[in-house]
Amino acid sequence: EVSRDDPETAFCTLANREELNPEEDSIHHCLYQFTRNETLTETNKLLCDVCTQRHCGPKNNIKSEKKYVYTNAKKQMLVSLAPPILTLHLKRFQHAGFNLQKVNRHIKFPEVIDLAPFCTAKCKNVAEGNTKVLYSLYGVVEHSGTMRSGHYTAYVKMRAMNNHLSDLVLRGQSPALETEPVKGQWFHISDHHVQPVSVSKVLSSQAYLLFYERLL
């Protein structure tokens, strides 16, 4: 989808991302890096239809690929539609020569996360004037082992049904204005073993997948 937004506002976000100063090895730092502004130059230049037509005339007159005009450009990936359920998948592998190696370091993640610094200023399902898009953690998947073998376990929060979230999923209505994490009891699940755990135990886990539900 090609957007013709004003260049002055095309890279604006709901909240000022420059005030974040995210801590390294945190989910905020991961999101900040994933949504950073990139400059496309040299071999990464963008094929520009407008520039091509300006220099070479209509498309049907272009007979050689050499006539295409490429230009420097800016690129940024931002959230344009805040989802009811936010799923964050951490890349837990890196290249070590010709092999893949698992990344085992702990990535910090909060119980409530604000997605606003990573959303476009014209985010479609955020009420005008809102500068926060809050999510509450309700599930974590953890992997132990290596790239070749291992074991998956999960942390899940048992909580009351979120009717506001149902309205958002089924009818697209904005959720209620809540800023606190959804109350409930956390459980650790490993095969058929299920036991209650504290939220501090959950937040210290080596997350592979994170699941958040929309609050605001």
Side-chain angles (χ1 to χ4, degrees), residues 95-99:
H95 289 277
F98 293 101
N99 298 316

PDB file of all heavy atoms in Angstrom, residues 95-99:
ATOM      1  N   HIS A  95      23.825 -15.920  13.749  1.00  0.00           N
ATOM      2  CA  HIS A  95      24.768 -16.674  12.930  1.00  0.00           C
ATOM      3  C   HIS A  95      26.139 -16.704  13.588  1.00  0.00           C
ATOM      4  O   HIS A  95      26.653 -15.684  14.028  1.00  0.00           O
ATOM      5  CB  HIS A  95      24.870 -16.047  11.536  1.00  0.00           C
ATOM      6  CG  HIS A  95      23.645 -16.250  10.708  1.00  0.00           C
ATOM      7  ND1 HIS A  95      23.406 -17.405   9.998  1.00  0.00           N
ATOM      8  CD2 HIS A  95      22.573 -15.445  10.501  1.00  0.00           C
ATOM      9  CE1 HIS A  95      22.238 -17.305   9.369  1.00  0.00           C
ATOM     10  NE2 HIS A  95      21.715 -16.128   9.656  1.00  0.00           N
ATOM     11  N   ALA A  96      26.721 -17.894  13.667  1.00  0.00           N
ATOM     12  CA  ALA A  96      28.083 -18.075  14.163  1.00  0.00           C
ATOM     13  C   ALA A  96      28.839 -18.825  13.074  1.00  0.00           C
ATOM     14  O   ALA A  96      28.851 -20.056  13.036  1.00  0.00           O
ATOM     15  CB  ALA A  96      28.086 -18.858  15.473  1.00  0.00           C
ATOM     16  N   GLY A  97      29.428 -18.052  12.159  1.00  0.00           N
ATOM     17  CA  GLY A  97      30.037 -18.672  10.987  1.00  0.00           C
ATOM     18  C   GLY A  97      28.958 -19.234  10.087  1.00  0.00           C
ATOM     19  O   GLY A  97      28.042 -18.514   9.677  1.00  0.00           O
ATOM     20  N   PHE A  98      29.017 -20.527   9.787  1.00  0.00           N
ATOM     21  CA  PHE A  98      28.002 -21.170   8.958  1.00  0.00           C
ATOM     22  C   PHE A  98      26.903 -21.824   9.793  1.00  0.00           C
ATOM     23  O   PHE A  98      26.001 -22.457   9.254  1.00  0.00           O
ATOM     24  CB  PHE A  98      28.654 -22.233   8.050  1.00  0.00           C
ATOM     25  CG  PHE A  98      29.569 -21.646   7.013  1.00  0.00           C
ATOM     26  CD1 PHE A  98      30.941 -21.665   7.196  1.00  0.00           C
ATOM     27  CD2 PHE A  98      29.051 -21.050   5.876  1.00  0.00           C
ATOM     28  CE1 PHE A  98      31.784 -21.113   6.241  1.00  0.00           C
ATOM     29  CE2 PHE A  98      29.886 -20.497   4.915  1.00  0.00           C
ATOM     30  CZ  PHE A  98      31.264 -20.530   5.099  1.00  0.00           C
ATOM     31  N   ASN A  99      26.970 -21.662  11.104  1.00  0.00           N
ATOM     32  CA  ASN A  99      26.002 -22.298  11.991  1.00  0.00           C
ATOM     33  C   ASN A  99      25.094 -21.266  12.652  1.00  0.00           C
ATOM     34  O   ASN A  99      25.397 -20.073  12.682  1.00  0.00           O
ATOM     35  CB  ASN A  99      26.734 -23.097  13.084  1.00  0.00           C
ATOM     36  CG  ASN A  99      27.583 -24.208  12.513  1.00  0.00           C
ATOM     37  OD1 ASN A  99      27.147 -24.923  11.621  1.00  0.00           O
ATOM     38  ND2 ASN A  99      28.801 -24.340  13.019  1.00  0.00           N
TER      39      ASN A  99
END
